[in-house]
Amino acid sequence: MKSSYFPQEIEKKWQKIWEEEKAFKTPDESDKPKYYALSMFPYPSGKLHMGHVRNYTITDVIARFKKMNGYNVLHPMGWDSFGLPAENAAMKHGANPETWTDENIAYMTKQLKMLGLSYDWDREVTTCKPDYYKWTQWLFLQLYKKGLAYKKEAAVNWCEECGTVLANEQVIDGKCWRCDHVVEKKYLSQWFLKITDYAEVLLKDLDKLTGWGDNVKTMQANWIGKSEGAIFRFPVVDCDEVKEIPVYTTRPDTVHGITYLVVAPEYKDIEKLTTFENKEAVEKYRANARKMTEIERLSTERIKTGVPLGTHCKNPFTGEIFPLWTADYALAEYGTGAVMAVPTHDERDFDFAKKYNLPMKVVIQNPENPSNCENEAYVDEGVLINSNEFNGMKNTEAKKAITQKAVDGGFGEFKTQYRLRDWLVSRQRYWGAPIPVVYCEKCGIQPVPEEQLPVLLPKDVDFSVVGKSPITTSKTFVETTCPVCGGKARRETDTMDTFVCSSWYYLRYSDAKNDKMPFAKDKVNHWLPVDQYVGGIEHAILHLLYSRFFTKALKDLGLLDFDEPFKNLLTQGMVLKDGSKMSKSKGNTVDPDEIFENYGADTARLFILSDSPPSRDFDWSDAGVEGCYKFLNRVWRLIASNAENISVNVSTPKALKKENDDLIRLVHIAIKGITNDISNDFQFNTVISKYRELVNSIYDWLNKKSSLDDEDKSVLSFATVTLLKLMSPVTVHLSEEAWHELGGEGSIHSQKWCEWDENLAKASSITLVVQINGKLKDKIDVDESLSEEELKQTALNSPKIKELTADKTIVKVIVVPKKLVNIVVK
RNA sequence: GCCCUGAUGGCGGAAUCGGUAGACGCGUCGGACUUAAAAUCCGGUUGGAGUUAAAUCCAGUGCCAGUUCAAGUCUGGCUCAGGGCACCA
């Protein structure tokens, strides 16, 4: 065995062997229980960054640990490879998005292999390849047939410069991320997925996700935004065309305090509700609201504006007549697009009423300070006044009673409302999965027949066009025939949001090569749900919510039998440098290639796990990397300089000598501690500190020996070989190389995980802690077999304790067996 | 404004049930080896008082109260930081 540690050499050697032997191939059939470990797959942006390294190392260690513990582990990898950067790169360099993407995948694959990750590469999925997006399109068609995919006119983020819709993530401070042009609202006919049908079950099933952090679950719950309230219908008194206006409210108890009613500028009946005299002002206001950019909307936040429509409504509860206004603080997309305004008990209505001098009427009284609501709205609980038969009722009770009156009177009902909106999946972009639909002049919207899938991305496109999607420049793509009548038809040129592709990739890994179906039902049911999912918190809502929706929808389609995709979720923290997020603009990035080259992958793996628990942010430091590299050198020297005295037989030896017994105990303590730390929330930082403790203990033990007899050699073998096995999920190459140098058979990664003996996993004697009034005063080494009474006497007889308690009265003595004695004195 | 998460030495962090606060590492200081350096090895390192050195004592886990024989850990009230949502009626 070489006396020095040359990571670059041994890492290359083992990576080659593992690849040739397909060492990490996962069979579908096995008599072992299954375990599915998954990292969120990357976008092939060009190079791995440290966030990837952290993510994949965490999952890899979990996968290897589970494998050594007797599981048949599925640990796959793939590419979320559709998306804007490829298309932008193509436009900029005149290249093709496909070429750009393929090159990036090739480079990043090489990097992943250099990290020594245990992927089953035979299951690799790439979302931009036809053998994958064929099934994305197929799934879209199934959703369409079920009524879960539909087309409607909607307000979207529009960049005039690029001539295309942008995703919300692509709007930065109200501007287009690419050309810096101001983004505006535009009304376009777009494809949506009906995620709102699943709002209730998506919310309710969060309770089932006991393996998810509360932070993620709360974010999803807030996003879904369930609220309980009522719909009231207000008759319009002076408009022939519109009979009534429905309003959603969570405060039915304040209904007697309405003094006006607001509709959104985009409200569907607004033109009909506007009188001739008010037409000009309303039109002007609406045009202005339409033109308003994100920036202006943000900057005018809370300064409310509006104009009256000139028409009026009647309050069915009071008979009062009040005016109708339009104001942009009413949102067209939420509730009914109309709001009943109660200035006295709603802050927004209060601001608006103050500004336009609208009347106010108090209907809820603050029990402690009967407020007249002159300076602010009273929004807390109280007792109803000015509310006819409901006077004196507590407002919490009145909510139900008042809604019930509306139900009985036929002008309202109970209503549960969600904030969640349907998912807009259309993109006016080339580099995405084409939406498999055609438009026929006679037959209208027609889905592409399944046997014609995939709808391939065309090659004859001009990427230099400005103001429209490059895909529209392909004649061969756009012009087609109707699958029903055979007549002339136009193909849908919108492609799907990449989040659609990533909403089902984890299912495809169970049956990645299937060319008849997206996945076979028995395989997907066998492997799923994912036992451990690992990824960044930035996906807390989007990807994780969409995937949950897909799983539930696909279950309802009969394609699978489970209703949640990810049993346990670990959201890893960010990788920081000098306290701030690594970014190119700050110039504080660390290139993984340089780390591999200078220190090797094992050092990188060890370091990225060492300093912080996985869920917390991790501050990268060059000194820390250096420290880990030194530690691996120290481990290497320990093995190499004693190799002739070490054999790979790892059963616990019999020790006659005290110091040998002590070392054996320390090894068992390490096995127990490390196993528990991994099992309990993957606390790899403490796992690594335990590696170091064990190495320190072995060196201490060696330093006291001038020569080694047979017993010593077997104890040393046990300690060092156990160390290698415990380290093998993390330092994958070093452990494998040392294992083989010591004469180990097969791969160390196929060995059984170490077991500990509970009787040996503790010190041979215990330290009794003696406190006086809860403060530490003495420590005494005692035999663990002592009874409580004996412990008490030992403590009281300690010379030090005797001295300290000499002039005091002992009130009470508390004995915690095998641990401590607390003497309470006065 | 609302919601979530967090706060422990110079730094990252450790501390199953309430039971020795600061494991392990980084940094730093001192020593050994060396002509010298690197590498390596050994030792100190929460603050303060004390001593030639020690012993020893006091304070200490963001702040203020409380429960308890005993609180980093439990309860109530704050402060600050990070993240998310934000006119959702």
Side-chain angles (χ1 to χ4, degrees):
Chain A
M1 193 167 171
K2 282 187 179 162
S3 60
S4 297
Y5 174 50
F6 294 113
Q8 295 79 359
E9 209 172 279
I10 63 174
E11 290 182 0
K12 263 198 202 87
K13 171 182 152 190
W14 285 108
Q15 283 160 14
K16 190 160 171 259
I17 294 171
W18 292 333
E19 184 158 5
E20 283 166 3
E21 291 179 350
K22 294 209 172 185
F24 307 114
K25 187 163 171 59
T26 307
D28 284 323
E29 303 285 336
S30 168
D31 47 10
K32 296 172 182 172
K34 72 97 183 177
Y35 190 90
Y36 188 176
L38 183 66
S39 298
M40 290 183 185
F41 69 162
Y43 178 78
S45 53
K47 270 190 159 191
L48 291 186
H49 55 67
M50 281 303 165
H52 292 130
V53 173
R54 190 178 193 198
N55 190 165
Y56 309 148
T57 303
I58 290 168
T59 315
D60 192 50
V61 175
I62 295 170
R64 288 168 183 273
F65 175 73
K66 288 291 173 183
K67 190 178 170 191
M68 291 178 87
N69 278 281
Y71 288 87
N72 185 33
V73 175
L74 176 58
H75 184 215
M77 183 38 84
W79 306 97
D80 186 13
S81 52
F82 271 136
L84 282 165
E87 202 168 332
N88 291 340
M91 284 173 163
K92 204 169 160 189
H93 303 116
N96 184 297
E98 192 178 357
T99 315
W100 185 86
T101 304
D102 286 348
E103 284 169 7
N104 288 349
I105 289 175
Y107 191 83
M108 290 169 81
T109 302
K110 203 181 101 201
Q111 288 186 303
L112 290 177
K113 288 182 178 170
M114 285 172 80
L115 242 185
L117 301 165
S118 60
Y119 295 131
D120 178 355
W121 285 103
D122 288 350
R123 294 175 186 260
E124 181 178 8
V125 305
T126 307
T127 61
C128 69
K129 298 289 174 203
D131 68 349
Y132 183 88
Y133 73 69
K134 172 180 181 174
W135 300 114
T136 306
Q137 293 172 335
W138 186 87
L139 289 169
F140 179 90
L141 291 179
Q142 310 314 305
L143 295 173
Y144 177 78
K145 284 174 194 163
K146 255 250 163 169
L148 290 170
Y150 66 97
K151 213 179 181 201
K152 77 164 180 193
E153 180 111 335
V156 293
N157 301 308
W158 178 260
C159 173
E160 190 58 43
E161 185 80 13
C162 304
T164 186
V165 160
L166 296 174
N168 287 334
E169 314 82 65
Q170 291 147 2
V171 181
I172 298 161
D173 291 334
K175 292 177 181 174
C176 173
W177 70 326
R178 194 152 58 121
C179 67
D180 230 20
H181 197 267
V182 172
V183 169
E184 25 180 314
K185 287 270 171 228
K186 190 157 180 171
Y187 283 79
L188 286 174
S189 186
Q190 300 283 292
W191 284 96
F192 287 84
L193 296 186
K194 217 168 185 179
I195 192 170
T196 52
D197 270 13
Y198 288 82
E200 181 62 33
V201 69
L202 284 168
L203 180 69
K204 203 181 83 220
D205 285 357
L206 286 173
D207 292 340
K208 291 186 189 170
L209 299 174
T210 50
W212 287 37
D214 285 338
N215 53 341
V216 178
K217 287 195 278 186
T218 327
M219 278 164 80
Q220 290 210 357
N222 290 343
W223 189 264
I224 294 166
K226 181 178 181 173
S227 73
E228 314 241 12
I231 296 269
F232 292 139
R233 285 182 291 275
F234 295 94
V236 184
V237 294
D238 45 8
C239 173
D240 296 335
E241 290 178 272
V242 183
K243 289 277 168 283
E244 57 185 19
I245 296 178
V247 155
Y248 173 73
T249 182
T250 54
R251 293 297 305 273
D253 51 318
T254 65
V255 77
H256 298 86
I258 298 173
T259 55
Y260 64 102
L261 198 145
V262 184
V263 300
E266 303 86 6
Y267 192 72
K268 60 180 184 348
D269 290 331
I270 191 167
E271 286 175 27
K272 296 171 191 163
L273 289 162
T274 307
T275 59
F276 182 74
E277 299 76 44
N278 292 277
K279 198 170 177 189
E280 200 184 326
V282 170
E283 274 312 309
K284 204 174 143 196
Y285 184 79
R286 293 181 68 210
N288 201 36
R290 208 176 304 131
K291 266 199 305 198
M292 194 114 58
T293 64
E294 283 300 311
I295 297 175
E296 286 160 343
R297 281 243 311 273
L298 288 172
S299 67
T300 57
E301 190 185 7
R302 304 205 186 281
I303 300 167
K304 293 182 180 31
T305 58
V307 288
L309 300 180
T311 49
H312 298 78
C313 276
K314 187 169 106 179
N315 187 336
F317 289 88
T318 61
E320 289 167 318
I321 305 291
F322 49 78
L324 270 164
W325 284 63
T326 183
D328 62 5
Y329 82 90
L331 306 172
E333 313 93 67
Y334 186 77
T336 64
V339 183
M340 61 176 229
V342 184
T344 43
H345 306 296
D346 182 280
E347 284 169 22
R348 294 151 304 184
D349 298 341
F350 183 89
D351 292 345
F352 193 81
K354 273 279 169 198
K355 178 164 177 182
Y356 293 103
N357 243 331
L358 294 159
M360 300 195 190
K361 180 181 167 192
V362 178
V363 290
I364 310 277
Q365 198 153 46
N366 180 349
E368 283 154 31
N369 169 32
S371 148
N372 56 10
C373 298
E374 248 174 38
N375 300 315
E376 56 178 356
Y378 179 71
V379 297
D380 297 325
E381 290 183 9
V383 172
L384 268 66
I385 55 170
N386 297 326
S387 300
N388 301 335
E389 71 265 38
F390 302 101
N391 283 344
M393 196 182 272
K394 276 164 77 179
N395 76 313
T396 43
E397 291 161 22
K399 285 184 179 183
K400 203 180 161 194
I402 287 176
T403 309
Q404 191 56 50
K405 183 180 172 181
V407 173
D408 297 342
F411 51 88
E413 60 249 15
F414 290 93
K415 169 82 176 170
T416 302
Q417 186 74 36
Y418 301 90
R419 251 160 117 151
L420 185 69
R421 309 276 159 80
D422 276 341
W423 173 15
L424 195 168
V425 295
S426 296
R427 293 290 179 271
Q428 287 72 51
R429 290 286 181 166
Y430 170 79
W431 195 232
I435 293 173
V437 161
V438 300
Y439 302 97
C440 172
E441 286 165 14
K442 275 190 245 153
C443 314
I445 297 178
Q446 287 302 329
V448 173
E450 288 175 19
E451 59 276 14
Q452 287 178 24
L453 297 180
V455 175
L456 289 168
L457 278 171
K459 306 270 185 190
D460 57 334
V461 294
D462 177 4
F463 289 106
S464 66
V465 291
V466 174
K468 59 179 177 178
S469 167
I471 204 170
T472 58
T473 64
S474 168
K475 286 235 158 55
T476 57
F477 183 81
V478 178
E479 290 167 14
T480 185
T481 52
C482 172
V484 177
C485 71
K488 250 179 130 182
R490 186 174 53 80
R491 203 178 279 285
E492 171 63 82
T493 54
D494 283 355
T495 56
M496 283 184 243
D497 181 5
T498 57
F499 279 104
V500 178
C501 305
S502 61
S503 290
W504 72 281
Y505 79 102
Y506 50 90
L507 305 170
R508 179 71 176 172
Y509 287 133
S510 69
D511 194 10
K513 298 263 172 72
N514 196 329
D515 59 0
K516 305 279 185 299
M517 288 286 285
F519 41 79
K521 193 170 178 179
D522 60 331
K523 289 191 179 175
V524 83
N525 283 339
H526 170 67
W527 283 112
L528 276 284
V530 172
D531 292 281
Q532 185 63 55
Y533 200 25
V534 183
I537 185 77
E538 67 272 19
H539 294 107
I541 292 168
L542 289 165
H543 165 63
L544 290 169
L545 189 65
Y546 294 154
S547 296
R548 294 182 61 223
F549 159 60
F550 250 69
T551 299
K552 288 175 190 304
L554 267 39
K555 186 190 179 199
D556 289 348
L557 287 166
L559 293 169
L560 43 82
D561 290 334
F562 46 93
D563 56 9
E564 284 291 341
F566 314 120
K567 202 169 155 195
N568 295 292
L569 174 70
L570 172 62
T571 49
Q572 105 242 10
M574 281 189 301
V575 180
L576 311 175
K577 178 85 194 291
D578 311 319
S580 58
K581 196 178 173 174
M582 281 191 187
S583 76
K584 279 180 198 155
S585 58
K586 281 191 203 118
N588 62 347
T589 55
V590 176
D591 185 355
D593 285 344
E594 280 179 34
I595 303 297
F596 298 157
E597 197 178 312
N598 296 333
Y599 302 100
D602 283 345
T603 295
R605 294 170 62 106
L606 183 74
F607 176 56
I608 203 96
L609 299 176
S610 66
D611 265 5
S612 300
S615 57
R616 279 213 229 169
D617 286 350
F618 175 86
D619 206 347
W620 182 276
S621 80
D622 297 336
V625 184
E626 197 69 43
C628 285
Y629 185 63
K630 282 183 187 171
F631 173 67
L632 291 188
N633 274 282
R634 189 166 145 85
V635 172
W636 183 270
R637 279 195 306 275
L638 174 64
I639 307 293
S641 58
N642 293 286
E644 72 277 11
N645 292 322
I646 299 172
S647 70
V648 288
N649 184 1
V650 285
S651 56
T652 305
K654 284 262 177 298
L656 301 170
K657 300 181 205 163
K658 168 84 167 67
E659 77 276 11
N660 288 358
D661 179 62
D662 285 345
L663 184 61
I664 289 167
R665 286 175 183 278
L666 288 172
V667 175
H668 279 265
I669 289 168
I671 300 170
K672 181 183 177 179
I674 288 167
T675 309
N676 288 343
D677 284 356
I678 299 177
S679 308
N680 177 22
D681 273 345
F682 310 114
Q683 298 173 46
F684 297 121
N685 55 328
T686 55
V687 167
I688 287 161
S689 73
K690 281 165 183 146
Y691 294 159
R692 292 176 185 273
E693 281 175 345
L694 183 54
V695 171
N696 290 344
S697 304
I698 298 172
Y699 268 112
D700 287 348
W701 177 88
L702 272 171
N703 288 342
K704 286 176 192 141
K705 301 264 175 188
S706 48
S707 66
L708 300 175
D709 62 19
D710 284 349
E711 182 185 308
D712 297 335
K713 285 178 188 174
S714 66
V715 170
L716 178 66
S717 297
F718 171 64
T720 51
V721 174
T722 303
L723 171 73
L724 286 177
K725 280 172 92 182
L726 292 173
M727 288 181 69
S728 69
V730 179
T731 56
V732 297
H733 311 90
L734 182 148
S735 297
E736 185 82 311
E737 175 73 6
W739 171 256
H740 279 266
E741 286 290 335
L742 296 173
E745 295 278 320
S747 170
I748 194 169
H749 304 298
S750 309
Q751 303 301 307
K752 248 185 88 197
W753 186 250
C754 315
E755 285 173 0
W756 73 90
D757 178 337
E758 204 59 58
N759 288 317
L760 289 173
K762 59 188 176 194
S764 52
S765 68
I766 56 169
T767 304
L768 180 70
V769 170
V770 186
Q771 297 177 330
I772 291 178
N773 288 347
K775 297 208 166 184
L776 174 71
K777 293 295 168 187
D778 201 8
K779 294 181 200 177
I780 309 165
D781 275 341
V782 295
D783 194 280
E784 70 167 304
S785 61
L786 291 186
S787 69
E788 282 194 32
E789 186 56 32
E790 286 167 319
L791 288 174
K792 181 175 164 183
Q793 291 312 321
T794 309
L796 291 171
N797 288 332
S798 137
K800 202 171 163 193
I801 298 302
K802 272 189 169 168
E803 191 193 323
L804 287 165
T805 54
D807 55 344
K808 307 241 166 62
T809 317
I810 295 173
V811 182
K812 199 170 169 189
V813 178
I814 284 137
V815 181
V816 182
K818 295 180 186 181
K819 218 168 213 167
L820 83 125
V821 173
N822 187 17
I823 301 157
V824 186
V825 299
K826 252 200 292 198

